[in-house]
């Protein structure tokens, strides 16, 4: 259960591969909404049927079954719509398969922890890497029963995995369970039904390079006119040539509008999705496209001009500017955020903090931001910290995956590279230390020669390169020992050392928080 984890090498994160922008469909007529609802419901039923067929195929799926499903869908829609539905089905099935694998790993981790703790004597203390024994016989008995339950779940999950069975809910499992808790959700049955149907609609089309404006199914002209190619059973609702329906609303992408216009003018692929926000009663159009692969810069190049070391905490980012040798430059910065409230509020708080962090990095003139490779999967398990609910809630609230994805996307727009790892500058350090603290501790001297723990074998090496200016040299003598004579008996007085980490900074410290870093 214990042991030291291996540290993966630091790496520069590739830039974002895709772009998505959204605009509201305003001033839709009642006829427009009726057509959108009819098309979404019809294609949504086709998507549900296709997903059922794909799940039934399981591991026996192949090119022939895919082609057969697409031919069946083409009869009731079109070839392009059928292609978009089958592609979305495969993506959804693959996602469910990955989630199933993660569920099996989580069960296996819980079983391993339970077996370890049950094998220990009652009351035995744990270590930093492994939990200790249970406190009483009653707890030991309850955990032994839970072990049996987890083993049964693990056996069933492995059996489903080997058979290729997955469980998917179109419209989200959370919304489905909300049907049984309408009072807590403050919804009526009619309101829930409207949301459920809207989530199960399918109003999307993949882009096609070389086609007019990059999409034949949902077409948006440079003037913002939106038209939809209706499926065959709904062709009678068309108000334009070739079975198309033109909406009364026009769109104007305020964000990345010029980039979007360049793509559709050159007939490059752009995918579109139309969806309804039932709570607000608003329709939206989302445009997305892929970016060409950009070659990432080497790690040495990314840290040549220094970088920002960021330590992620439960309520703030702690950051220090580091030079190319990992030494801190200037004062630490603190970028707070509040992760309470709704998901939209938490996401806005993270974006706001990252915006201030990136703006400060731009003014500092660095080329990269180093973040720690956090993964609290093993720490969140109920079997390891079952009685420490507050600690589990604390680490569960720290943003990890979403933070990395959003930081990479936002930093790419400012020409900043992202270095992920526990050792952003590649210096050896014990496991569990974040990049900001890693690089700060690395500026200290290494261990003395092992044979007598003194400077007789030479001065302690410094982190800086041999040719760097101001690098640390040989230590001055600590005593006034005469040549060949005994050392004086007076004791050396050691001054109080300053804190080397952002987290250890005193509460009374005046954090360097520039007002220009705040955004509205």
């Amino acid at each position: 259960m214990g042991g030291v984890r291996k540290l993966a090498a630091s790496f520069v994160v590739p830039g974002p591969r895709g772009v998505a922008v959204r605009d509201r469909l305003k001033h839709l007529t009642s006829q427009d909404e009726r057509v959108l609802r009819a098309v979404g419901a019809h294609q949504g039923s086709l998507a549900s049927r296709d997903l059922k067929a794909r799940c039934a195929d399981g591991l026996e799926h192949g090119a022939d079954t895919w082609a057969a499903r697409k031919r069946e869908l083409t009869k009731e829609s079109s070839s392009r719509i059928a292609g978009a539905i089958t592609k979305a089905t495969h993506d959804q099935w693959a996602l469910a398969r990955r989630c199933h694998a993660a569920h099996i790993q989580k069960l296996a981790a819980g079983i391993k922890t339970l077996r370890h703790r049950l094998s220990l004597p009652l009351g035995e203390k744990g270590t930093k890497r492994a939990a200790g024994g249970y406190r009483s016989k009653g707890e030991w008995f309850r955990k032994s029963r839970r072990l049996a339950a987890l083993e049964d779940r693990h056996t069933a999950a492995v059996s489903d995995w080997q058979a290729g069975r997955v469980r998917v809910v179109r419209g989200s499992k959370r919304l489905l369970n909300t049907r049984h808790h309408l009072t807590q959700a403050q919804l009526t049955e009619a309101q829930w039904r409207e949301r459920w149907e809207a989530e199960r609609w399918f109003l999307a089309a993949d882009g096609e390079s070389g086609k007019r404006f990059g999409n034949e199914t949902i077409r948006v002209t440079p003037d913002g006119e939106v038209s939809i190619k209706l499926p065959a059973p709904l062709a009678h609702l068309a108000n334009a040539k070739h079975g198309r329906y033109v909406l009364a609303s026009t769109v104007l992408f305020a964000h990345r509008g010029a980039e979007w216009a360049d793509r559709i003018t050159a007939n490059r692929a752009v995918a579109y999705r139309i969806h309804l926000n039932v709570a607000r009663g608003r329709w939206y159009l989302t445009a997305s496209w892929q970016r060409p692969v950009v070659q990432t810069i080497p790690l040495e190049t990314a840290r040549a001009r220094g970088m920002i070391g960021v330590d992620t905490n439960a309520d703030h980012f702690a950051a220090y500017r580091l030079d190319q040798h990992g030494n801190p430059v200037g004062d630490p910065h603190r970028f707070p955020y509040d992760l309470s409230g709704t998901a939209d509020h938490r996401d806005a708080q993270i974006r706001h903090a990252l915006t201030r962090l990136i703006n400060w990095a731009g003014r500092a003139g660095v080329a990269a931001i180093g973040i720690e490779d956090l993964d609290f999967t093993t720490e969140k398990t109920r079997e390891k910290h079952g009685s420490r609910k507050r600690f589990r809630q604390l680490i569960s609230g720290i943003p990890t995956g979403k933070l990395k994805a959003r930081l990479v996307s936002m930093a790419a727009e400012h020409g900043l590279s992202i270095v992920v790892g526990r050792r952003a500058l590649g210096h050896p350090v014990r496991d569990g230390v974040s990049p900001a603290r890693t690089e700060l501790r690395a500026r200290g001297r290494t261990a003395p020669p092992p044979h007598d723990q003194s400077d007789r074998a030479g001065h302690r090496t410094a982190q800086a390169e041999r040719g760097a200016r101001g690098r640390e040299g040989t230590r001055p003598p600590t005593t006034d020992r005469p040549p060949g004579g005994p050392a004086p008996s007076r004791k050396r007085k050691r001054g109080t050392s300053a804190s080397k980490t952002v987290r250890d900074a005193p509460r009374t410290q005046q954090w360097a928080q520039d007002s220009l870093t705040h955004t509205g």
Side-chain angles (χ1 to χ4, degrees):
M1 295 296 295
V4 178
R5 292 174 292 175
K6 294 183 178 179
L7 294 181
S10 303
F11 62 94
V12 180
V13 182
R17 294 288 305 276
V19 175
V21 294
R22 187 179 70 173
D23 193 18
R24 181 182 172 187
L25 292 172
K26 300 180 180 179
H27 312 299
L28 290 175
T29 64
S30 57
Q31 179 63 15
D32 291 342
E33 293 199 15
R34 282 195 294 269
V35 170
L36 290 177
R37 291 175 180 270
V39 174
H42 175 73
Q43 296 181 170
S45 63
L46 298 180
S48 299
R49 191 175 66 189
D50 184 66
L51 180 60
K52 180 181 178 180
R54 175 64 186 90
C55 293
D57 291 339
L59 300 179
E60 302 300 326
H61 170 264
D64 295 337
T65 58
W66 189 349
R69 294 192 351 257
K70 186 176 180 180
R71 285 194 299 267
E72 293 296 325
L73 294 176
T74 302
K75 299 176 183 178
E76 303 182 52
S77 55
S78 68
S79 177
R80 292 186 177 89
I81 295 175
I85 290 177
T86 54
K87 182 179 181 299
T89 295
H90 284 285
D91 292 341
Q92 196 166 9
W93 188 90
L95 176 61
R97 184 77 169 168
R98 294 193 298 271
C99 293
H100 194 176
H103 177 60
I104 293 176
Q105 293 178 358
K106 184 177 180 180
L107 290 176
I111 291 172
K112 182 179 179 181
T113 302
L114 283 173
R115 287 176 177 173
H116 170 74
R117 299 192 67 180
L118 289 172
S119 65
L120 299 177
L122 295 178
E124 181 170 332
K125 294 184 178 180
T127 63
K128 185 177 182 181
R129 296 300 179 194
Y134 293 110
R135 293 169 294 184
S136 63
K137 291 183 178 180
E139 185 179 11
W140 190 97
F141 175 73
R142 291 191 297 269
K143 293 301 182 180
S144 64
R145 299 190 64 180
R146 176 166 175 79
L147 174 61
L150 290 186
E151 289 175 341
D152 289 342
R153 296 179 192 175
H154 183 265
T155 302
V158 172
S159 176
D160 289 344
W161 170 267
Q162 294 174 349
R165 289 189 294 267
V166 298
R167 291 169 174 80
V168 185
V169 178
R170 289 199 70 250
S172 83
K173 181 179 179 181
R174 176 177 296 181
L175 185 58
L176 177 62
N177 292 334
T178 304
R179 174 63 180 84
H180 307 289
H181 307 280
L182 296 179
T183 303
Q184 292 86 335
Q186 298 181 352
L187 293 173
T188 63
E189 183 176 352
Q191 291 173 336
W192 177 88
R193 178 66 60 181
E194 186 179 8
R195 291 189 180 187
W196 174 251
E197 293 177 351
E199 290 295 329
R200 291 168 62 86
W201 290 343
F202 189 91
L203 277 169
D206 297 331
E208 300 173 276
S209 295
K211 299 298 182 179
R212 189 180 181 187
F213 301 133
N215 200 310
E216 284 286 347
T217 305
I218 300 179
R219 180 182 297 166
V220 184
T221 66
D223 298 332
E225 181 185 85
V226 182
S227 62
I228 303 174
K229 176 67 175 179
L230 298 177
L234 301 178
H236 62 279
L237 299 176
N239 61 359
K241 296 180 180 179
H242 309 295
R244 305 191 69 88
Y245 186 89
V246 180
L247 300 178
S249 175
T250 59
V251 296
L252 178 62
F253 297 107
H255 180 59
R256 299 185 183 276
E259 187 177 352
W260 166 80
D262 292 341
R263 291 191 65 88
I264 65 172
T265 303
N267 295 331
R268 300 175 63 186
V270 179
Y272 294 103
R273 174 176 175 262
I274 299 175
H275 63 282
L276 170 64
N277 188 322
V278 177
R280 296 185 176 183
R282 298 177 178 179
W283 291 85
Y284 294 93
L285 174 68
T286 302
S288 58
W289 59 90
Q290 291 184 346
R291 281 182 167 181
V293 179
V294 179
Q295 185 68 27
T296 58
I297 62 177
L299 180 60
E300 293 75 13
T301 304
R303 66 190 189 193
R305 291 178 5 203
M307 65 169 58
I308 300 295
V310 181
D311 185 15
T312 305
N313 299 283
D315 58 353
H316 71 280
F317 295 129
Y320 233 133
R321 181 184 176 186
L322 311 170
D323 61 15
Q324 60 179 336
H325 306 302
N327 299 311
V329 179
D331 296 326
H333 281 60
R334 184 187 182 104
F335 304 96
Y337 47 78
D338 180 15
L339 297 182
S340 61
T342 63
D344 293 338
H345 175 264
R346 295 194 299 269
D347 185 66
Q349 287 285 307
I350 293 297
R351 286 188 284 107
H352 183 52
L354 290 179
T355 299
R356 287 177 286 152
L357 172 63
I358 292 174
N359 290 340
W360 174 56
R363 290 194 303 272
V366 300
I369 297 176
I371 62 174
E372 49 191 327
D373 191 12
L374 290 179
D375 185 8
F376 294 119
T377 303
T378 58
E379 302 299 329
K380 295 178 183 179
T381 177
R382 169 180 168 184
E383 282 68 34
K384 185 174 183 180
H385 302 290
S387 60
R388 303 173 60 187
K389 294 184 179 180
R390 180 171 295 183
F391 176 74
R392 290 168 54 196
Q393 293 173 355
L394 176 65
I395 60 178
S396 298
I398 298 179
T400 53
K402 291 184 178 180
L403 168 64
K404 296 175 186 176
R406 187 167 295 281
L407 179 58
V408 169
S409 177
M410 296 175 66
E413 302 304 320
H414 293 77
L416 296 173
S417 300
I418 302 300
V419 179
V420 174
R422 292 187 182 272
R423 298 175 297 165
L425 295 184
H427 300 296
V429 68
R430 64 182 179 87
D431 185 28
V433 182
S434 60
R437 289 180 287 166
T438 295
E439 310 311 337
L440 296 179
R441 291 184 180 183
R443 62 176 176 162
R445 296 170 177 172
T446 59
H451 59 273
D452 59 356
Q453 299 292 309
S454 70
D455 289 340
R456 194 172 50 147
H459 72 277
R460 303 177 187 181
T461 57
Q463 178 183 319
E465 297 292 339
R466 183 174 295 276
R469 296 183 58 187
R471 70 185 186 91
E472 187 180 48
T474 306
R475 286 195 313 177
T478 58
T479 63
D480 297 328
R481 176 188 302 182
S489 59
R490 59 186 178 90
K491 295 183 180 180
R492 179 188 177 189
K493 295 183 179 180
R494 181 178 181 181
T496 304
S497 60
S499 173
K500 296 181 180 179
T501 68
V502 177
R503 186 175 295 174
D504 294 336
R507 290 293 182 182
T508 57
Q509 179 176 350
Q510 182 68 30
W511 290 102
Q513 190 76 25
D514 193 342
S515 60
L516 296 178
T517 61
H518 293 275
T519 58

